[in-house]
């Protein structure tokens, strides 16, 4: 049994989650052989913590390593396109954190904090060019794209899919959300680095989930996926309102430069059914990860974040010290609900199990590059909808720009 060997790009927050998930893969021989980070000292510290053998001086050195089978990309969004393409050219399978890619204002010559004001039609074209380029290079070099959308693998979602299969009911509406009180990652404040705000950064999760569920239903009922037909969306900056600025803002992140902190998307699928997706950086009380499915004969509600299997009370925030409670909770004082295994509930170990099996047994992963591409498409169509104040039909949009070359030079 040949061991699958992984090269990890990045040594930040999500890299730790991926490492813990890889350590739980069973039945498939795998090893995270090496790591590369922009800061070598950080990579060395990461490698020491996890017993990783190799620390690379640069990304190309990782790609030149013939022992590496998979490159796992845990880098900021702006780097995904080039890292994925370079990995594919090197014949390495790809694990890429969400979103697969985005639009970052290529060719924009103005102030970087004005990137988010570029016309959204240009952003849509750029994002789709980037996504299509990744998929084309992967196909050309016969490598797999494992799109790291953990929600698809979350145990509550897996149970929901089994219930849907047994019920044989038709999905009428899906509602899903990821929200919290704001990212602490510095790059997330800037469109030219993140590719968008809460809609892209948080909305990727629920959007990927609802798209996947309609694919799942379509394959069950008619042997082919049900795709998104159109979107209507709105975005906003609630932390810039006078109401917010006139009151204490110490609990909610308000350092956004040119990205939104609130978004809502209504999706219409080919079969006329609907989905409502919400994502914002203005929700206190911990992260919200929910899924509600309404069908012709049942209702299924999933919560991938909250749990009450452990309850704890402390009269002061400092009593529990450094012990982790749950993501984005603002205080450890009062009654809290410590998560026994938050990563497991959100599907990270199950995700990496599928990816390892996909490469080992030479099959498609459940969450693949095409899902990542469709998520990018819906998100940037949603940005266009919010800008223009109208419904955007995806087929009509693509037909209208199919022959357009687009301009790389942008001015505001």
């Amino acid at each position: 049994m040949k061991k699958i060997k992984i090269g990890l790009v990045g040594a930040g927050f999500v890299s730790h989650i991926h490492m813990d998930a890889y350590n739980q893969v069973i039945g498939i021989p795998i090893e995270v052989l090496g790591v590369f980070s922009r800061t070598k000292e950080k990579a060395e510290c990461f490698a020491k913590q996890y017993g990783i053998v190799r620390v690379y001086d640069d990304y190309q050195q990782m790609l030149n390593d013939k022992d590496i089978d998979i490159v796992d990309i845990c880098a900021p969004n702006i780097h995904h396109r080039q890292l994925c393409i370079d990995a594919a050219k090197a014949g390495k399978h790809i694990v890429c954190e969400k979103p697969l890619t985005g639009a970052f204002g290529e060719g924009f010559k103005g102030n970087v904090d004005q990137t988010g004001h570029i016309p959204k039609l240009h952003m849509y074209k750029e994002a789709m060019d980037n996504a299509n380029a990744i998929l084309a290079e992967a196909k050309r070099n016969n490598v797999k794209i494992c799109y790291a959308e953990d929600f698809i693998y979350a145990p509550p979602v897996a149970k929901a899919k089994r219930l849907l299969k047994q019920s044989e009911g038709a999905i009428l509406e899906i509602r899903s959300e990821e929200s919290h009180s704001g990212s602490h990652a510095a790059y997330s404040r800037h469109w030219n680095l993140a590719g968008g705000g809460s809609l892209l950064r948080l909305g990727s999760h629920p959007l990927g989930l609802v798209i996947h569920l309609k694919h799942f239903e379509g394959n069950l009922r008619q042997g082919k996926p049900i795709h998104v037909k159109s979107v209507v969306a709105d975005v906003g900056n609630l932390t810039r309102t006078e109401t917010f600025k006139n009151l204490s803002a110490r609990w909610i992140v308000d350092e956004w430069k040119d990205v939104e902190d609130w978004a809502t998307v209504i999706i219409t699928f080919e079969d006329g059914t609907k989905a409502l997706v919400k994502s914002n950086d203005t929700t206190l009380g911990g992260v919200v990860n929910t899924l509600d499915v309404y069908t012709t004969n049942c209702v299924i509600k999933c919560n991938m974040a909250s749990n009450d299997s452990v309850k704890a009370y402390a009269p002061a925030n400092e009593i529990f010290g450094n012990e982790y409670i749950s993501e984005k909770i603002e205080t450890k004082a009062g009654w809290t609900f410590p998560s026994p295994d938050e990563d497991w509930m959100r599907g990270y170990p199950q995700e990496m199990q599928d990816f390892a099996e996909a490469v080992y047994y030479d099959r498609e992963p459940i969450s693949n590059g095409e899902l990542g591409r469709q998520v990018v498409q819906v998100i940037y169509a949603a940005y266009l909808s919010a800008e223009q104040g109208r419904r955007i039909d995806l087929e009509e949009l693509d037909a209208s720009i199919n022959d357009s070359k687009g301009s790389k030079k942008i001015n505001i």
Side-chain angles (χ1 to χ4, degrees), residues 37-340:
S37 176
R38 184 175 55 181
T39 306
K40 189 171 184 181
E41 183 179 333
K42 191 174 182 180
E44 289 172 342
C45 182
F46 188 91
K48 183 178 180 180
Q49 179 179 349
Y50 291 101
I52 296 172
V53 176
R54 300 176 189 175
V55 175
Y56 301 102
D57 294 324
D58 55 49
Y59 184 50
Q60 191 59 50
Q61 187 180 20
M62 176 186 287
L63 298 183
N64 292 339
D65 189 339
K66 294 181 179 180
D67 292 330
I68 295 295
D69 302 299
I70 300 174
V71 171
D72 184 346
I73 297 168
C74 298
N77 302 345
I78 189 174
H79 302 303
H80 287 190
R81 177 188 185 275
Q82 196 60 52
L83 292 174
C84 285
I85 287 175
D86 290 346
K89 287 180 177 178
K92 313 295 186 185
H93 299 294
I94 299 162
V95 173
C96 184
E97 256 301 328
K98 62 86 191 171
L100 179 65
T101 185
F104 309 94
E106 182 183 357
F108 178 52
K109 303 300 184 183
N111 185 309
V112 293
D113 287 336
Q114 290 296 309
T115 305
H117 301 289
I118 292 172
K120 296 305 180 286
L121 182 59
H122 181 96
M123 290 293 197
Y124 179 87
K125 292 177 182 178
E126 182 187 335
M128 295 312 297
D129 284 347
N130 288 341
N132 290 332
I134 292 171
L135 268 62
E137 200 63 55
K139 182 178 181 180
R140 189 175 296 116
N141 291 278
N142 195 30
V143 302
K144 302 182 191 306
I145 301 176
C146 301
Y147 174 55
E149 180 40 74
D150 56 292
F151 273 22
I152 288 173
Y153 300 92
V157 174
K159 183 64 173 179
K161 289 167 67 177
R162 294 196 296 270
L163 292 170
L164 288 169
K165 184 176 181 179
Q166 288 298 313
S167 74
E168 298 184 344
I171 295 173
L172 298 175
E173 181 187 0
I174 308 172
R175 303 172 192 170
S176 191
E177 178 177 0
E178 167 147 341
S179 296
H180 53 58
S181 58
S183 172
H184 291 88
Y187 83 91
S188 69
R189 280 79 163 134
H190 309 273
W191 191 298
N192 71 309
L193 299 176
S198 59
L199 175 54
L200 179 75
R201 187 169 33 79
L202 302 182
S204 294
H205 280 308
L207 280 167
L209 181 52
V210 302
I211 292 170
H212 170 75
L213 284 178
K214 289 300 288 186
H215 287 182
F216 174 76
E217 180 194 23
N219 286 325
L220 281 178
R221 299 175 67 84
Q222 59 195 38
K224 61 179 182 179
I226 300 168
H227 293 295
V228 175
K229 176 175 174 54
S230 64
V231 299
V232 177
D234 196 11
V235 301
N237 287 92
L238 305 190
T239 57
R240 291 183 187 168
T241 62
E242 290 302 316
T243 300
F244 182 89
K245 290 189 289 186
N246 289 339
L247 298 173
S248 172
R250 66 193 183 106
W251 298 114
I252 295 175
V253 175
D254 63 349
E255 300 163 356
W256 315 109
K257 299 301 181 181
D258 58 341
V259 297
E260 78 285 351
D261 59 26
W262 181 95
T264 297
V265 181
I266 299 173
I267 295 171
T268 301
F269 293 95
E270 293 171 326
D271 61 354
T273 60
K274 303 284 186 177
L276 174 66
V277 170
K278 298 166 65 179
S279 58
N280 67 67
D281 289 290
T282 57
T283 296
L284 293 172
V287 68
V288 176
N289 294 147
T290 58
L291 167 71
D292 299 335
V293 186
Y294 298 85
T295 83
T296 52
N297 63 0
C298 67
V299 176
I300 304 167
K301 290 179 174 284
C302 303
N303 193 330
M304 291 78 78
S306 297
N307 73 92
D308 60 2
S309 56
V310 180
K311 299 179 181 179
Y313 175 81
N317 180 68
E318 64 272 11
I319 287 175
F320 290 134
N322 293 326
E323 180 59 27
Y324 185 79
I325 302 297
S326 61
E327 186 179 359
K328 298 296 181 183
I329 194 169
E330 289 83 27
T331 179
K332 298 178 183 179
W335 281 103
T336 57
F337 302 91
S339 179

Side-chain angles (χ1 to χ4, degrees), residues 36 112 303 348 376 404 406:
F36 163 70
V112 293
N303 193 330
Y348 284 106
V376 169
S404 174

